[in-house]
Amino acid sequence: MRCLGSPAENSRSSAWVSAISRRSRRSKTASVRRSTARAARSATACRRSGARASWRKSGRRAETNAASSWSSYRSRARCFRPIPDEVLLALDDADDRDGDGISGRAAIVTDIATGHRRVGRFGWKAQQATLLAFSADAYRNEMGITNDLFPDEVAFGITAEQMKLCDRIPDPEDKPDRRTRRRAIDNFESFMKFLAPAGRGPIDDAGRAGEAVFGAAGCASCHVPSLQTGPSPNPLFNRKVVPLFSDLLLHDIGTGDGISQEAASPQEFRTPPLWGLRLRRPLLHDGTAATVEDAIGLHGGEAASARGRFLALPADRRAALLAFLKSL
């Protein structure tokens, strides 16, 4: 951006900045509105499941008497308890006490929404402990929409004065709706919470045999087949077995990206869940694996032994294992 020059140049520059600012405001406002509209139905489902809100109808409108978005969040937190921290802490083996070469560790992070220390489980580095924090993080870092959990713009190499030229919307940009007291990040949280996981694909005899090979090869040491949610008054989440195929712990398998994030070191990643694997390509955090075989071949570190066992499998047992993975 040119800030100095002839009056004509400065005039053109000011007009350009003004146009960019208008487009930026319209884009961000539209983005928040679209997100809110898409997630509203999911948010309603959560409210009906037991969150404390008092509703009164006026024509076709329903208004909530929730005191604030913060108290609304705490109410919803009581009606939704995901996989408890204790389950993940029980899997923690950072010192490899059992000597199997696997030293997964729980990512202890501060939940930015509550200030409590929790086990992280969302994100490649398990950097967030709750869906609300994950939602707020994505809004700011992926879409550039600040919120009260992440109120500051990400502006590498740009001064505050330069930022004001192109973004004149006061931060935080995601503000509670006047009627519902819900932010867009609250609606996005509800939208993700009520998304059904991908169902299991077709599985034949080879795939069923491959599940046993999966365990024998040591894959299940990190890709734990299932975990269980905690107690919840909402039957959708109450003590449900989740076929996640992940321990949600941090591991070093030799594919580090050199980035430290929250509790994760530059070499560590959270074990990626394998449910829905058949629908995802490419694989790994940087997309360097085009196929399941490629991804397994890139495993090292804690997973080197499992990779070696996979590569040593007879052709029929390897085919069975791949058939199992392609059914997930």
Side-chain angles (χ1 to χ4, degrees), residues 222 251-256 267-269 284 298-303:
C222 299
H251 293 272
D252 175 4
I253 65 164
T255 59
Q267 292 77 37
E268 291 177 313
F269 283 104
L284 299 184
L298 290 170
H299 279 49
E302 297 174 45

Side-chain angles (χ1 to χ4, degrees), residues 3 32 79 93 96 99 149 159 204 222 224 264 276 321:
C3 297
V32 171
C79 77
D93 188 21
D96 192 19
L149 299 186
T159 67
D204 55 16
C222 299
V224 176
L321 175 53

Side-chain angles (χ1 to χ4, degrees), residues 279-291:
L279 305 175
R280 299 202 304 268
R281 294 295 185 277
L283 302 172
L284 299 184
H285 71 281
D286 54 1
T288 52
T291 67

Side-chain angles (χ1 to χ4, degrees), residues 50-72:
R52 292 183 179 178
S54 175
W55 295 86
R56 62 180 184 273
K57 292 188 176 179
S58 174
R60 293 185 177 180
R61 294 185 178 181
E63 297 183 355
T64 182
N65 289 329
S68 67
S69 58
W70 176 244
S71 63
S72 177

